[in-house]
Amino acid sequence: MQIQQNISLRQYNTMGIGAMARLFSTFGTLDELQELAALSDADHLAKLVLGGGSNILLTGDFDGLVMKNELTGIDLLREDDHHLYVKAGAGESWHGFVQYCIGRGWAGVENLSLIPGNVGASPMQNIGAYGVEIKDVFEELEAYHLEERKILTFSNNDCGFGYRESVFKRQYRNRFVILSVTYRLNKIPRFNTSYGAIEQELEKMGVKELSIKAISEAVIRIRSSKLPDPAKIGNAGSFFKNPSVPAAQFEALKQNWPGIIGYANPDGTVKLAAGWLIEQCGWKGFRRGDAGCHEKQALVLVNYGNAKGADIYELSTEILDSVQDRFGVELEREVNII
Ligand code: FAD
Ligand code: EPU
């Protein structure tokens, strides 16, 4: 294990922000993590646990220790008539894990194909796409408590999952390092093609017999057609959450903007498409310096090269304010602001 000093984090975040870290180290074992935790405690350093860096915005240099999780390994723990319980190290690539499962016919994560980042952040964010969220396949996780220096196990209920939410994002922020996640996968697939675009894409692909591989391919094709590839343009996926409003407010908004897009939530509120709201405010394709709002997906803020985190943050504030002014709807950032 090598601790580096004053290094640029540009290659460690998909936004491509060139902020500096005072100290940086990877860890590939629990012993190494414990060593790093002890070192940062002794020197009273702030800590940042990093996976693939695909959901963070670095607003300035990080005056502390960045610990990049490289705990790997995928193990089939047990199986019963219907399910497979598969444990993956937090440092495994998420899409790599999805492909591993699809290759073995293990169903449940195919709709979550091509989401960047690592296994460890999947429950932290309760990642979701195309009708599926991690909470639907989550069995349990192991996490290291940085202050108490012990490993705890969290059940699905313990994680307090919500839309892009968990206890790790809120009350336990920066207190735990997720070490591994166990998923409950299905032997017999339950195909989920409810999300409109999937059906259309499968049809375009000429798929006659549904399979988890076909769904994964359809999802990959849809995502590639509208989301920017971080290897080409810096971004962190959706920058804001889709906001929910009471049904009455949605009806009132519809009077003024008949094209407004909303989906009914089970609790009777309506989830609005933030991308549509932002586009209506004229931001889609906007660029100032190297900070911008993507031309195909207004919910995605982008770094064309040398934008600073503060530039992107400032743009996000302007977008929040304009959506509030025009629609009276408050947007919330989905990306973790560091
Ligand atoms: P990081 O960015 O490294 O970390 C995110 C947060 O989790 C940070 O606060 C970090 O401190 C914390 N963290 C990371 N690992 C650990 C750990 N082991 N223990 C404790 N805390 C940890 N997300 C979706 O939900 N759905 C999508 O469809 C989607 N599409 C995307 C498309 C693109 C092009 C991009 C760039 C991003 C997209 N995202 C999407 C967002 C992102 O991929 C997910 O949030 C992903 O789970 C982040 O993983 P990561 O390893 O990169 O996390
Ligand atoms: N839309 C616009 N203008 C835009 C963008 C979108 O009008 O600029 C409209 C679309 O036409 C569509 C609706 O908004 O009618 C929803 O758009 P889309 O299907 O692209 O999904 P999204 O709501 O923008 C969410 C997630 C994505 C996830 C997709 C698919 C959030 C914050 N984002 O995006 O997750 O991949 O659905 O399930 O919930 C992420 O979290 O980073 C992410 C990319």
Side-chain angles (χ1 to χ4, degrees):
M1 189 172 67
Q2 195 200 350
I3 300 174
Q4 295 172 273
Q5 290 189 27
N6 296 322
I7 74 148
S8 167
L9 293 172
R10 193 185 293 274
Q11 62 171 306
Y12 299 110
N13 69 102
T14 61
M15 265 284 182
I17 303 294
M20 303 295 286
R22 181 159 147 201
L23 296 173
F24 176 95
S25 179
T26 59
F27 61 92
T29 64
L30 180 60
D31 281 352
E32 288 181 348
L33 168 61
Q34 284 174 320
E35 224 179 286
L36 290 176
L39 178 142
S40 55
D41 282 351
D43 291 348
H44 305 290
L45 292 170
K47 305 177 194 71
L48 172 64
V49 186
L50 205 57
S54 63
N55 206 31
I56 56 167
L57 177 70
L58 296 158
T59 51
D61 294 340
F62 189 74
D63 187 21
L65 172 65
V66 176
M67 306 186 286
K68 182 164 161 50
N69 192 323
E70 291 191 347
L71 297 166
T72 54
I74 301 178
D75 295 305
L76 172 59
L77 295 183
R78 60 184 192 279
E79 54 187 296
D80 56 32
D81 288 351
H82 302 287
H83 298 118
L84 302 132
Y85 296 85
V86 185
K87 179 175 177 176
E92 288 286 343
S93 128
W94 171 255
H95 183 60
F97 175 70
V98 170
Q99 285 177 310
Y100 184 95
C101 296
I102 291 171
R104 284 161 179 75
W106 300 345
V109 285
E110 56 280 1
N111 292 53
L112 301 173
S113 294
L114 211 63
I115 297 182
N118 293 351
V119 159
S122 67
M124 151 106 186
Q125 299 296 136
N126 184 21
I127 56 171
Y130 299 97
V132 175
E133 287 182 333
I134 277 301
K135 69 169 174 47
D136 305 327
V137 291
F138 178 93
E139 179 66 12
E140 64 179 30
L141 65 75
E142 285 181 330
Y144 180 71
H145 195 304
L146 284 164
E147 286 148 36
E148 293 177 12
R149 307 216 176 153
K150 61 182 185 195
I151 296 175
L152 298 179
T153 301
F154 288 75
S155 69
N156 197 312
N157 213 26
D158 297 335
C159 290
F161 289 127
Y163 167 52
R164 299 294 192 277
E165 284 293 347
S166 74
V167 290
F168 301 102
K169 207 169 168 178
R170 297 287 159 194
Q171 63 265 45
Y172 294 154
R173 191 175 190 84
N174 295 331
R175 289 173 62 189
F176 283 94
V177 178
I178 296 167
L179 304 172
S180 67
V181 184
T182 301
Y183 303 94
R184 191 188 61 252
L185 302 172
N186 300 318
K187 287 187 169 171
I188 301 162
R190 274 181 245 141
F191 300 123
N192 185 339
T193 58
S194 55
Y195 207 94
I198 297 189
E199 297 274 5
Q200 286 164 21
E201 199 59 45
L202 288 165
E203 220 174 285
K204 263 199 250 166
M205 287 160 57
V207 170
K208 298 268 171 339
E209 204 178 321
L210 211 48
S211 66
I212 54 174
K213 191 156 193 327
I215 292 182
S216 169
E217 274 168 23
V219 167
I220 289 173
R221 285 163 68 126
I222 300 166
R223 296 181 65 94
S224 308
S225 73
K226 54 180 170 186
L227 288 167
D229 176 356
K232 296 185 184 132
I233 309 176
N235 76 92
S238 301
F239 201 89
F240 304 97
K241 289 184 181 181
N242 286 323
S244 286
V245 297
Q249 188 181 353
F250 178 64
E251 288 309 319
L253 285 165
K254 230 171 148 180
Q255 297 294 315
N256 288 331
W257 290 280
I260 194 165
I261 299 166
Y263 311 93
N265 286 320
D267 67 0
T269 60
V270 178
K271 190 183 267 188
L272 303 177
W276 186 90
L277 300 172
I278 297 169
E279 183 177 349
Q280 296 303 307
C281 292
W283 292 105
K284 198 171 183 171
F286 174 89
R287 176 172 179 170
R288 184 168 53 220
D290 275 350
C293 180
H294 193 243
E295 56 188 8
K296 289 192 199 157
Q297 231 298 0
L299 201 45
V300 178
L301 300 192
V302 292
N303 172 12
Y304 287 102
N306 286 311
K308 292 199 167 9
D311 302 334
I312 305 270
Y313 189 81
E314 194 185 305
L315 175 60
S316 73
T317 303
E318 289 176 47
I319 292 174
L320 278 172
D321 290 347
S322 71
V323 169
Q324 175 73 55
D325 287 350
R326 194 171 176 121
F327 298 104
V329 173
E330 192 178 354
L331 291 185
E332 187 191 339
R333 293 179 184 87
E334 193 265 340
V335 165
N336 296 279
I337 308 297
I338 312 285

